[in-house]
Structure formats: structure tokens, C-alpha cells
């Protein structure tokens, strides 16, 4: 018997990196890479249910990305605005529930309202929970959770819920964490939630990532042996 014969709906998370390099390599402005990246989000999200992924958490803009030139930040915010405007109907139609994770108080005018509207319009979705992290820092999320404790004595489970924020029934723990673009670092993403995540790094730049790459990552995940600090599961007799 395979250990984990029924993997159950997985929680996958992706650090969508490499947009800028993809564009620069083609003599295009970095924003062209970010534009292409939106299409990767769509095709990757739509491939999830058939691959057994029930929750997909995407890193779209980090709290540290505000340091980039104003032109790039402005372009990314315009892209977020148009994503919310153009994709919400399609998300609802494909049974996708959208949540946006991260700080909202530093986002440009109108975007927090657009996020709330998109979340409300997709709240009935049950095929996929798509979580997009914007102005997100895992360390800030942990600090914010600690500030909400108010003298309570937390457990891993209760504190994890505070760190992760509203999960709408999705698991807090990330099973499979993918980073595109060739770098092998976490860049302040899901530090709590990825405690036992399987890590998958690919050279593929995010604008070129698609269902085949995701399927490959899931297949590799299926071949890993997760031990959670214990020992290899004992072999079950052939008759089982
Ligand atoms: C990831 O691509 C998207 C964001 C961080 C907004 P990058 O913009 O970091 O692309 P590279 O890493 O410079 O190629
Ligand atoms: C991480 O990528 C953030 C996102 C993908 C949104 P960065 O490109 O910002 O990370 P570093 O700077 O290479 O660590
Ligand atoms: Mg990058």
C-alpha cells in the first residue's frame, strides 16, 4: 500500500517569481512579465481541482516589494485592480472562492473595496480556495497573531489559526510549496504554515508556468515520504 493512499485535498502554495527576468530576457519592460503572469495564475488555478489541490495560496506582492520603483509598484497595483474587476465572474463560474491575504491599509484607494466585493461574490465557491497574498509578510503575520493573543496560552493549532487568518475550512498547513524562477529561498512567505511543507523549486519563470509544471510538482510530491518527525510508515502486508 502507498503511504497516504488518499492524499485528500492538498494545500499548495506558490512563490510566483521570475516575471521581471522573463521580460528582461526578451527585451520587454518588467511589467510585461507581470501581465503575462496573470495568465499563469488563471491556468494554474484552473488546473488545481483535477490535481487534487483544494487550496492554492499565491504570493503576488510582498510587504518588501514596496521598495521597488514607483512605476513598477503602480503597475502591479493596476494589475491587481484589473484582475479583481475582470476575473471575479470567471472565478465564481469555476467554483473558485477568492481570499486576499495580507495588509489592506496600504493599498491604493478603491482596492480594499474591490477585494471585499470579489471575496463576497465568490464566497460560494467550493472547488478551489484561491488565496492571493498581497502586501504580505509571514513575519508580520506572526507578530500580528502574537498581538491578538491577549494573555491566552496558545497551542500550535490555535496560534496557527491566528497566523493564517480566515481559512474558510481550508487547512492552515501547506503541503507543497513551489517557487518558480530558480531562486531557492522563502522570501518571508508562509513561515509558519510551511513548517512541514515539501519544497519544490523550478527554473521555470512564472510567466511560462502552467498545468504541466504543476502536475509535475504534484507527481514529485506524491513520491516524497513525509515523516513529520516520526519514522517511515511500516509496510502493510500484500494482502491488505
Ligand atoms: C515576481 O516576479 C512578482 C513580484 C515579486 C511582484 P519578480 O518581479 O520578482 O521577477 P524577478 O525575480 O525580478 O525576475
Ligand atoms: C518574492 O519574490 C515575492 C513574490 C513572488 C511576490 P521577490 O522577487 O520579491 O523575492 P527576493 O527579493 O528575490 O527574495
Ligand atoms: Mg523576484
Amino acid at each position: 500500500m502507498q503511504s497516504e493512499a488518499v492524499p485528500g485535498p492538498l494545500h499548495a502554495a506558490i512563490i510566483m517569481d521570475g516575471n521581471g527576468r522573463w521580460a528582461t530576457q526578451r527585451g520587454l519592460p518588467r511589467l510585461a512579465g507581470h501581465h503575462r503572469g496573470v495568465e499563469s495564475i488563471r491556468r494554474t488555478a484552473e488546473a488545481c481541482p483535477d490535481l487534487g489541490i483544494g487550496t492554492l495560496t499565491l504570493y503576488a506582492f510582498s510587504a518588501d516589494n514596496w521598495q521597488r520603483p514607483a512605476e513598477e509598484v503602480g503597475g502591479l497595483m493596476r494589475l491587481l485592480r484589473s484582475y479583481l474587476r475582470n476575473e471575479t465572474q470567471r472565478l465564481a463560474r469555476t467554483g473558485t472562492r477568492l481570499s486576499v491575504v495580507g495588509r489592506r491599509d496600504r493599498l491604493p484607494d478603491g482596492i480594499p473595496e474591490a477585494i471585499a466585493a470579489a471575496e463576497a461574490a465568490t464566497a460560494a465557491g467550493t472547488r478551489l480556495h484561491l488565496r492571493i497574498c498581497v502586501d504580505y509578510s509571514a513575519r508580520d503575520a506572526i507578530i500580528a497573531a502574537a498581538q491578538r493573543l491577549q494573555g491566552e496560552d496558545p497551542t500550535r493549532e490555535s496560534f496557527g489559526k491566528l497566523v493564517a487568518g480566515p481559512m474558510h475550512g481550508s487547512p492552515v498547513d501547506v503541503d507543497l510549496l513551489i517557487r518558480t524562477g530558480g531562486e531557492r529561498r522563502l522570501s518571508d512567505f508562509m513561515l509558519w504554515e510551511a513548517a512541514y511543507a515539501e519544497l519544490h523549486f523550478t527554473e521555470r519563470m512564472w510567466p511560462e508556468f502552467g498545468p504541466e509544471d504543476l502536475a509535475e510538482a504534484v507527481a514529485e510530491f506524491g513520491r516524497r515520504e513525509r515523516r513529520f518527525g516520526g519514522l517511515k510508515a511500516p509496510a502493510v502486508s500484500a494482502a491488505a
Side-chain angles (χ1 to χ4, degrees):
M1 183 184 102
Q2 299 270 315
S3 54
E4 309 287 296
V6 183
L10 297 175
H11 181 180
I14 309 182
I15 302 171
M16 306 184 290
D17 197 26
N19 294 350
R21 278 165 289 156
W22 178 89
T24 305
Q25 284 160 6
R26 284 159 183 76
L28 299 168
R30 291 176 55 84
L31 270 173
H34 298 313
H35 272 273
R36 279 295 199 104
V38 177
E39 290 165 36
S40 308
I41 293 178
R42 188 186 302 126
R43 59 177 181 257
T44 302
E46 290 182 3
C48 282
D50 288 344
L51 291 170
I53 296 167
T55 306
L56 179 66
T57 300
L58 300 177
Y59 204 5
F61 188 88
S62 77
D64 292 321
N65 287 149
W66 293 113
Q67 298 168 47
R68 295 189 180 193
E71 191 191 329
E72 181 166 345
V73 170
L76 284 164
M77 291 300 144
R78 280 195 299 281
L79 214 49
L80 173 60
R81 208 188 287 275
S82 70
Y83 178 83
L84 294 166
R85 188 171 49 230
N86 300 331
E87 297 288 320
T88 299
Q89 270 200 340
R90 188 180 173 114
L91 293 173
R93 191 157 29 85
T94 55
T96 305
R97 176 174 202 157
L98 178 72
S99 297
V100 178
V101 181
R103 279 180 70 164
R104 298 198 184 172
D105 57 309
R106 302 190 287 196
L107 299 175
D109 283 352
I111 291 192
E113 294 78 3
I115 290 171
E119 287 179 335
T122 60
T126 55
R127 281 192 90 217
L128 176 70
H129 186 194
L130 176 62
R131 305 170 70 236
I132 301 190
C133 300
V134 178
D135 196 359
Y136 174 85
S137 154
R139 290 187 294 194
D140 287 351
I142 293 168
I143 292 171
Q147 285 168 334
R148 288 176 58 197
L149 274 179
Q150 296 176 330
E152 285 162 61
D153 195 9
T155 62
R156 287 176 179 181
E157 202 187 343
S158 70
F159 192 69
K161 284 183 180 161
L162 292 178
V163 171
M167 291 303 292
H168 306 300
S170 284
V172 167
D173 284 1
V174 170
D175 298 299
L176 169 61
L177 191 153
I178 299 168
R179 183 171 185 142
T180 62
E183 310 287 2
R184 296 176 172 228
R185 54 178 172 254
L186 296 176
S187 302
D188 200 8
F189 184 56
M190 298 283 123
L191 298 183
W192 177 282
E193 296 90 327
Y196 275 100
E198 296 294 331
L199 308 180
H200 180 94
F201 299 101
T202 167
E203 298 298 315
R204 186 88 69 220
M205 298 291 157
W206 178 251
E208 303 216 304
F209 190 88
E212 315 74 42
D213 301 297
L214 185 64
E216 189 188 312
V218 170
E220 195 203 308
F221 172 84
R223 293 190 293 270
R224 304 263 183 100
E225 184 190 277
R226 304 184 81 191
R227 290 194 288 271
F228 300 99
L231 297 180
K232 189 171 158 53
V236 173
S237 73

